[in-house]
Coordinates of all heavy atoms in Angstrom, one line a residue:
T1412 N 161.5 90.9 78.5 CA 160.5 91.9 78.9 C 159.7 91.5 80.1 O 159.2 90.4 80.2 CB 159.5 92.1 77.7 OG1 160.2 92.4 76.5 CG2 158.5 93.2 78.0
P1413 N 159.6 92.4 81.1 CA 158.8 92.0 82.3 C 157.4 91.7 82.0 O 156.8 92.3 81.0 CB 158.9 93.3 83.2 CG 160.1 94.0 82.7 CD 160.2 93.7 81.2
P1414 N 156.7 90.8 82.7 CA 155.3 90.5 82.4 C 154.4 91.7 82.5 O 153.4 91.8 81.8 CB 154.9 89.5 83.5 CG 156.2 88.9 83.9 CD 157.2 90.0 83.8
Q1415 N 154.7 92.7 83.3 CA 153.9 93.9 83.5 C 154.2 95.0 82.5 O 153.7 96.1 82.6 CB 153.9 94.5 84.9 CG 155.3 95.0 85.3 CD 156.1 93.9 85.9 OE1 156.0 92.7 85.6 NE2 157.0 94.3 86.8
G1416 N 155.1 94.7 81.5 CA 155.6 95.7 80.6 C 154.8 95.7 79.3 O 155.4 96.0 78.2
R1417 N 153.5 95.4 79.3 CA 152.7 95.5 78.1 C 151.6 96.5 78.3 O 150.9 96.5 79.3 CB 152.1 94.2 77.7 CG 153.0 93.3 76.9 CD 154.0 92.6 77.8 NE 154.8 91.5 77.1 CZ 155.6 90.7 77.7 NH1 155.8 90.8 79.0 NH2 156.3 89.8 77.0
V1418 N 151.4 97.4 77.3 CA 150.5 98.5 77.4 C 149.5 98.5 76.2 O 150.0 98.5 75.1 CB 151.3 99.8 77.5 CG1 150.3 101.0 77.8 CG2 152.4 99.8 78.5
P1419 N 148.2 98.5 76.5 CA 147.3 98.7 75.3 C 147.1 100.1 74.9 O 147.1 101.0 75.8 CB 146.0 98.1 75.9 CG 146.1 98.4 77.4 CD 147.6 98.3 77.8
I1420 N 147.1 100.4 73.6 CA 147.1 101.7 73.1 C 146.0 101.8 72.0 O 145.6 100.8 71.5 CB 148.4 102.2 72.6 CG1 148.9 101.4 71.4 CG2 149.5 102.2 73.7 CD1 150.1 102.0 70.7
L1421 N 145.7 103.0 71.6 CA 144.9 103.3 70.4 C 145.6 104.4 69.6 O 146.0 105.4 70.1 CB 143.5 103.8 70.8 CG 142.4 102.7 71.0 CD1 141.1 103.4 71.5 CD2 142.1 102.0 69.7
L1422 N 145.7 104.1 68.3 CA 146.2 105.1 67.4 C 145.1 105.6 66.5 O 144.4 104.9 65.8 CB 147.3 104.5 66.5 CG 148.6 104.0 67.2 CD1 149.5 103.3 66.2 CD2 149.3 105.1 67.9
V1423 N 144.9 107.0 66.5 CA 143.9 107.6 65.8 C 144.5 108.6 64.8 O 145.2 109.5 65.2 CB 142.9 108.3 66.7 CG1 141.7 108.9 65.9 CG2 142.3 107.4 67.7
Q1424 N 144.2 108.5 63.5 CA 144.8 109.4 62.5 C 144.0 110.7 62.5 O 142.8 110.7 62.5 CB 144.7 108.7 61.1 CG 145.6 109.3 60.1 CD 144.9 110.3 59.2 OE1 143.7 110.6 59.4 NE2 145.6 110.9 58.3
Q1425 N 144.8 111.8 62.5 CA 144.2 113.1 62.4 C 144.3 113.6 60.9 O 145.4 113.6 60.4 CB 144.9 114.1 63.3 CG 144.7 113.8 64.8 CD 143.2 113.9 65.2 OE1 142.5 114.8 64.7 NE2 142.8 113.0 66.0
P1426 N 143.3 114.1 60.3 CA 143.3 114.3 58.8 C 144.1 115.5 58.4 O 144.5 115.6 57.3 CB 141.8 114.4 58.5 CG 141.2 114.9 59.7 CD 141.9 114.3 60.9
G1427 N 144.3 116.5 59.2 CA 144.9 117.7 58.8 C 144.0 118.6 58.0 O 142.8 118.7 58.3
K1428 N 144.5 119.3 57.0 CA 143.7 120.3 56.3 C 142.8 119.5 55.3 O 143.2 118.8 54.5 CB 144.6 121.3 55.5 CG 143.8 122.4 54.9 CD 144.8 123.4 54.2 CE 144.1 124.7 53.8 NZ 143.1 124.4 52.7
Q1429 N 141.5 119.7 55.4 CA 140.5 119.1 54.6 C 139.7 120.0 53.7 O 138.9 119.5 52.9 CB 139.5 118.3 55.5 CG 140.1 117.1 56.2 CD 139.1 116.3 57.1 OE1 138.6 116.8 58.1 NE2 138.8 115.1 56.7
V1430 N 139.7 121.3 53.9 CA 138.9 122.2 53.2 C 139.8 122.9 52.1 O 141.1 122.9 52.3 CB 138.3 123.3 54.1 CG1 137.3 122.6 55.0 CG2 139.3 124.0 54.9
G1431 N 139.2 123.4 51.1 CA 140.0 124.2 50.1 C 140.6 123.2 49.1 O 140.4 122.0 49.1
N1432 N 141.3 123.8 48.1 CA 141.9 123.1 47.0 C 143.4 123.2 47.0 O 144.0 122.9 46.0 CB 141.4 123.6 45.7 CG 139.9 123.5 45.6 OD1 139.4 122.4 45.1 ND2 139.1 124.5 46.0
E1433 N 144.0 123.5 48.1 CA 145.5 123.6 48.1 C 146.0 123.1 49.5 O 145.2 123.1 50.5 CB 145.9 125.1 47.9 CG 145.3 126.0 48.9 CD 145.7 127.5 48.7 OE1 146.6 127.7 47.9 OE2 145.2 128.3 49.4
M1434 N 147.2 122.7 49.6 CA 147.9 122.2 50.8 C 147.0 121.1 51.4 O 146.7 121.1 52.6 CB 148.1 123.4 51.8 CG 149.1 124.4 51.4 SD 149.1 125.8 52.5 CE 149.4 125.0 54.0
S1435 N 146.6 120.2 50.6 CA 145.7 119.1 51.1 C 146.4 118.3 52.1 O 147.6 117.9 51.9 CB 145.2 118.3 49.9 OG 144.4 117.2 50.4
S1436 N 145.7 117.9 53.2 CA 146.3 117.1 54.3 C 147.5 117.7 55.0 O 148.2 117.0 55.6 CB 146.6 115.7 53.8 OG 147.8 115.7 53.0
W1437 N 147.6 119.1 54.9 CA 148.7 119.7 55.6 C 148.4 119.6 57.1 O 147.3 119.9 57.6 CB 148.9 121.1 55.2 CG 150.1 121.8 55.9 CD1 151.3 121.9 55.4 CD2 150.1 122.4 57.2 NE1 152.2 122.5 56.3 CE2 151.4 122.8 57.4 CE3 149.2 122.6 58.2 CZ2 151.8 123.5 58.6 CZ3 149.6 123.2 59.4 CH2 150.9 123.6 59.6
G1438 N 149.4 119.3 57.9 CA 149.2 119.2 59.4 C 148.6 117.9 59.8 O 148.1 117.8 61.0
A1439 N 148.6 116.8 59.0 CA 148.0 115.5 59.4 C 149.0 114.9 60.4 O 150.1 115.2 60.4 CB 147.8 114.6 58.2
G1440 N 148.4 114.0 61.2 CA 149.2 113.3 62.2 C 148.5 112.2 62.8 O 147.5 111.7 62.3
W1441 N 148.9 111.8 64.0 CA 148.3 110.7 64.8 C 148.1 111.1 66.2 O 148.9 111.9 66.8 CB 149.2 109.5 64.8 CG 149.3 108.8 63.4 CD1 150.1 109.0 62.4 CD2 148.5 107.6 63.0 NE1 149.9 108.2 61.3 CE2 148.9 107.3 61.7 CE3 147.4 106.9 63.6 CZ2 148.3 106.3 61.0 CZ3 146.8 105.9 62.9 CH2 147.2 105.6 61.6
D1442 N 147.0 110.6 66.8 CA 146.8 110.8 68.2 C 147.1 109.4 68.9 O 146.6 108.4 68.4 CB 145.3 111.2 68.5 CG 145.2 112.7 68.3 OD1 146.1 113.3 67.8 OD2 144.1 113.2 68.7
L1443 N 147.8 109.5 70.0 CA 148.2 108.3 70.8 C 147.4 108.3 72.1 O 147.6 109.2 72.9 CB 149.7 108.3 71.0 CG 150.3 107.2 71.9 CD1 150.0 105.8 71.3 CD2 151.8 107.4 72.1
L1444 N 146.6 107.3 72.3 CA 145.8 107.2 73.5 C 146.4 106.1 74.4 O 146.7 105.0 74.0 CB 144.4 106.8 73.2 CG 143.6 107.7 72.2 CD1 142.2 107.3 72.1 CD2 143.7 109.2 72.7
L1445 N 146.7 106.5 75.7 CA 147.4 105.6 76.6 C 146.6 105.5 77.9 O 145.8 106.4 78.3 CB 148.8 106.2 77.0 CG 149.7 106.5 75.8 CD1 150.9 107.3 76.3 CD2 150.2 105.2 75.1
P1446 N 146.8 104.5 78.7 CA 146.2 104.4 80.0 C 146.9 105.4 81.0 O 148.0 105.8 80.8 CB 146.4 103.0 80.5 CG 147.5 102.5 79.7 CD 147.5 103.2 78.4

Side-chain angles (χ1 to χ4, degrees):
T1412 304
Q1415 64 271 28
R1417 276 80 171 185
V1418 188
I1420 64 171
L1421 267 176
L1422 297 176
V1423 183
Q1424 196 265 359
Q1425 293 298 320
K1428 190 175 188 295
Q1429 291 182 292
V1430 296
N1432 297 275
E1433 56 180 353
M1434 295 173 55
S1435 179
S1436 72
W1437 185 95
W1441 288 87
D1442 278 9
L1443 176 61
L1444 306 184
L1445 306 168

